[in-house]
């Protein structure tokens, strides 16, 4: 009996379900459910966040509070944490009050302020990736927000100074083993290797005498690197290449990419007027003696085919492809440097520089300008010939996008009547020599079996990377570890 009754009940249930399915098909007889399924419940995706579903997604209910939501209510002064049940926290607030909310990412806490007064910690152990929200209850309510466009009523800057000082104190007081002055020796060694690495020969020798730190590199080699660095920083790349070849034979022949970098910079310095390759024939340049690691001429420019000039008012005079026609009589006065619009040359010349793609006819304006003091047609032609050799050299290299862009930027300088004011004029800035100087210095050191980077710079790089990793791991204290400030001490 029980078995029969059970079977009859199952059959009746299936009949009801079948009737339900049939009823939907009766209402929509021509619907292909493989393409467009008929709706049998509420969608679990297309709904508001605070709407909940139950009973086979047929019952709808309002959830209320979202998980990981936090608030401070003005009507009762309670704080609410992922729940509709609040806890007493602070005073109530109303029209005219200024309420601030701050999230401390160092210790993952949240606090509120009222009219500039700190109300204390409201929540602890906050999750990451929070965003600000404002809830309005009555029609006509208005809230003005300040995300830093105006000074905050609460002195948040003072709070930041306190957090920064606390982090700095934790760093300063971090215990380190110091057996018999070991850390002092390590620091002295790092300073000594830094001085040697950058070629500060006299300073390194004086520091060695004061601290007893040995100098691992031969003094003559340090002085050679110092001289080469001075030449590069002065823009005299051609001379630097020759000194490098004499002092360190085979280095540049083995490192083709470094040589290409130097040659590209040399071409830029030709346009700039500082490289000796374009100086007038018979003119001699004396090596400038200056402080260690520097060495640019007093005015930053050597006399050459492309030279800077100055008007009487102290402003730089215009250039025509960097070529100026300056005589002794007009050197300190106004110089008429007018030229056709866009640097176009109306006389005869070269429509294109053979083997130097992308260089327009304006380079021909260099030629009729030749003939002034320190400026000859032969000098201009030497520069163009150098450019053709540089292009041929680039073809022998693995022609990646980096080398191609470097070459195009350098050659593009010739397409402007005033390259210093052109979109590619940034190449002519003296600061651009520093990266070339460092690359050459590092290559020389590496060829001598020494580290290409000094321990001090390696330590700074490691520290920066550590701070970046801490930031990605949401360790907020790293925001107050001010590495540049520590280095300035």
């Amino acid at each position: 009996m029980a078995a029969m009754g059970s079977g009859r009940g199952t059959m009746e249930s299936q009949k009801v379900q079948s009737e339900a399915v049939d009823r939907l098909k009766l209402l929509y007889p021509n619907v292909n459910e493989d393409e467009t399924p008929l709706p049998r419940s509420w969608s679990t995706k297309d709904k508001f966040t605070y709407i909940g579903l139950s009973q086979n997604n047929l019952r709808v209910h309002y959830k209320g509070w979202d998980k990981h939501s936090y608030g401070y209510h003005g009507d009762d002064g309670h704080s609410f944490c992922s729940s509709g049940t609040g806890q007493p926290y602070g005073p109530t607030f109303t029209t005219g009050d200024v309420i601030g909310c701050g999230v401390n990412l160092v210790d993952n806490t949240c606090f509120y302020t009222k009219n500039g007064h700190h109300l204390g910690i409201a929540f602890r152990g906050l999750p990451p990736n929070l965003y600000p929200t404002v809830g309005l209850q009555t029609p006509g309510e208005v809230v003005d927000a300040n995300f830093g466009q105006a000074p905050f009523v609460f002195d948040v800057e003072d709070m930041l100074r306190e957090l920064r000082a606390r982090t700095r104190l934790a760093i300063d007081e971090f215990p380190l083993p110091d057996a018999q002055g070991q850390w002092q020796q390590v620091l002295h060694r790092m300073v000594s290797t830094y001085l040697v690495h950058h070629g500060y020969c006299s300073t390194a020798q004086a520091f060695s005498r004061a601290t007893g730190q040995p100098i691992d590199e031969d003094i003559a080699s340090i002085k050679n690197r110092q001289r080469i660095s001075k030449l590069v920083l002065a823009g005299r790349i051609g001379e630097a290449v020759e000194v490098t070849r004499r002092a360190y034979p085979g280095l540049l022949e083995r490192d083709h990419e470094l040589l290409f970098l130097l040659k590209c910079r040399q071409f830029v310095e030709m346009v700039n007027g500082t490289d000796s390759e374009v100086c007038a024939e018979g003119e001699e340049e004396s090596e400038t003696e200056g402080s260690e690691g520097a060495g640019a001429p007093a005015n930053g420019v050597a006399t050459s085919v492309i030279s800077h000039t100055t008007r009487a008012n102290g402003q730089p005079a215009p250039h025509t492809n960097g070529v100026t026609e300056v005589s002794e009589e007009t050197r300190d006065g106004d110089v008429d440097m007018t030229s056709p619009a866009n640097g176009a040359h109306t006389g005869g010349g070269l429509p294109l520089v053979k083997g130097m793609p992308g260089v327009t006819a304006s380079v021909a304006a260099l030629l009729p300008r030749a003939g002034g003091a320190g400026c000859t047609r032969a000098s201009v032609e030497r520069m163009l010939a150098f450019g053709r050799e540089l292009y041929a050299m680039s073809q022998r290299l693995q022609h990646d996008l980096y080398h191609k862009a470097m070459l195009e930027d350098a050659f593009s300088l010739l397409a402007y009547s005033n390259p210093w004011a052109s979109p590619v004029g940034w190449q002519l800035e003296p600061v651009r020599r520093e990266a070339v100087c460092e690359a050459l210095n590092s290559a020389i050191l590496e060829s001598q079996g020494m580290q290409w980077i000094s321990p001090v710079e390696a330590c700074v790089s490691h520290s920066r990377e550590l701070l970046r990793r801490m930031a990605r791991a949401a360790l907020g204290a790293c925001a107050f570890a001010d590495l540049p400030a520590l280095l300035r001490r």
Side-chain angles (χ1 to χ4, degrees):
M1 294 286 293
M4 291 176 63
S6 174
R8 195 162 42 244
T10 302
M11 292 174 63
E12 290 176 355
S13 175
Q14 292 175 348
K15 182 179 180 181
V16 171
Q17 292 179 6
S18 177
E19 289 177 355
V21 172
D22 291 341
R23 187 177 299 114
L24 287 177
K25 288 187 175 181
L26 180 64
L27 294 172
Y28 305 97
N30 297 321
V31 173
N32 182 353
E33 290 203 68
D34 292 333
E35 297 179 356
T36 310
L38 295 172
R40 291 179 173 82
S41 64
W42 294 109
S43 171
T44 59
K45 297 180 180 179
D46 302 325
K47 68 180 184 64
F48 184 56
T49 305
Y50 300 135
I51 295 296
L53 299 175
S54 60
Q55 300 294 328
N56 294 325
N57 297 326
L58 294 175
R59 177 173 295 175
V60 182
H61 61 276
Y62 181 69
K63 296 193 302 181
W65 288 82
D66 190 18
K67 188 178 181 182
H68 298 317
S69 64
Y70 307 85
Y72 168 36
H73 284 201
D75 55 352
D76 57 10
H78 287 188
S79 63
F80 293 79
C81 173
S82 302
S83 170
T85 303
Q87 299 294 329
Y89 171 67
T92 62
F93 56 88
T94 184
T95 302
D97 288 325
V98 178
I99 305 300
C101 178
V103 177
N104 187 332
L105 297 177
V106 175
D107 51 18
N108 291 326
T109 61
C110 174
F111 65 92
Y112 293 92
T113 65
K114 178 181 177 181
N115 299 327
H117 298 288
H118 196 293
L119 301 180
I121 301 298
F123 311 108
R124 300 182 184 276
L126 296 177
N129 302 322
L130 294 172
Y131 55 89
T133 59
V134 172
L136 303 177
Q137 186 174 0
T138 305
E141 287 183 337
V142 175
V143 172
D144 291 323
N146 177 14
F147 288 93
Q149 293 86 350
F152 294 112
V153 176
F154 174 69
D155 190 359
V156 68
E157 287 83 4
D158 183 66
M159 185 178 184
L160 291 176
R161 285 191 292 268
E162 181 184 347
L163 288 171
R164 188 173 288 108
R166 191 194 311 168
T167 303
R168 178 71 171 271
L169 185 64
I171 294 173
D172 291 342
E173 294 184 349
F174 189 84
L176 293 173
D178 191 13
Q180 299 180 351
Q182 178 183 0
W183 278 103
Q184 186 179 28
Q185 294 179 16
V186 170
L187 292 176
H188 284 167
R189 181 63 178 165
M190 292 179 73
V191 172
S192 177
T193 53
Y194 178 84
L195 296 173
V196 172
H197 179 90
H198 289 283
Y200 302 120
C201 188
S202 300
T203 307
Q205 288 177 298
F207 188 80
S208 177
R209 290 191 295 267
T211 62
Q213 288 292 328
I215 296 178
D216 296 333
E217 187 179 1
D218 183 68
I219 298 298
S221 179
I222 300 176
K223 290 183 175 180
N224 281 334
R225 290 193 295 105
Q226 182 186 46
R227 182 187 177 195
I228 292 168
S229 295
K230 286 183 178 181
L231 290 171
V232 173
L233 293 175
R236 297 156 66 181
I237 309 298
E239 294 176 66
V241 169
E242 292 307 313
V243 174
T244 301
R245 280 177 167 148
R246 290 197 302 268
Y248 306 98
L251 170 64
L252 297 180
E253 285 66 30
R254 292 190 301 269
D255 196 337
H256 300 291
E257 292 190 1
L258 175 62
L259 182 59
F260 181 74
L261 173 66
L262 289 167
K263 291 294 186 179
C264 274
R265 187 66 215 178
Q266 185 175 358
F267 183 85
V268 171
E269 297 299 345
M270 287 180 175
V271 178
N272 208 11
T274 51
D275 193 84
S276 59
E277 286 286 337
V278 292
C279 289
E281 295 179 357
E283 182 179 336
E284 297 181 357
E285 294 186 29
S286 61
E287 185 174 340
T288 305
E289 295 295 336
S291 60
E292 292 179 339
N299 60 359
V301 180
T303 304
S304 64
V305 64
I306 302 177
S307 57
H308 294 276
T309 58
T310 306
R311 286 178 172 166
N313 60 6
Q315 297 298 318
H319 300 273
T320 302
N321 273 344
V323 179
T324 58
E325 200 169 339
V326 184
S327 64
E328 293 299 326
E329 293 76 18
T330 60
R331 189 177 302 276
D332 296 324
D334 256 352
V335 180
D336 183 10
M337 298 301 300
T338 57
S339 61
N342 298 324
H345 176 53
T346 55
L350 304 175
L352 278 176
V353 181
K354 185 178 180 181
M356 296 168 64
V359 180
T360 67
S362 62
V363 72
L366 286 167
L367 301 177
R369 285 288 185 181
C375 179
T376 65
R377 183 185 182 94
S379 300
V380 176
E381 291 175 345
R382 280 199 301 272
M383 182 175 66
L384 299 180
F386 185 90
R388 287 191 290 270
E389 293 174 5
L390 180 58
Y391 177 74
M393 180 182 179
S394 72
Q395 299 303 299
R396 294 191 294 269
L397 287 174
Q398 183 180 357
H399 207 57
D400 58 20
L401 294 178
Y402 174 73
H403 292 118
K404 182 179 180 181
M406 188 190 306
L407 192 66
E408 288 180 351
D409 286 342
F411 285 168
S412 295
L413 289 167
L414 296 183
Y416 297 91
S417 60
N418 184 358
W420 291 268
S422 70
V424 291
W426 51 268
Q427 300 175 87
L428 301 170
E429 298 172 358
V431 70
R432 298 290 172 177
R433 302 166 184 164
E434 295 178 5
V436 179
C437 180
E438 180 60 29
L440 179 55
N441 186 59
S442 297
I444 293 173
L445 287 167
E446 200 168 18
S447 71
Q448 302 298 301
M450 291 175 283
Q451 293 294 325
W452 66 272
I453 185 174
S454 71
V456 171
E457 292 163 309
C459 183
V460 171
S461 297
H462 292 164
S463 299
R464 287 187 178 131
E465 179 60 26
L466 178 61
L467 289 175
R468 282 193 290 267
R469 289 174 179 265
M470 290 173 65
R472 288 197 294 268
L475 299 175
C478 68
F480 301 104
D482 193 343
L483 185 59
L486 290 173
L487 296 175
R488 289 193 298 266
R489 292 179 62 183

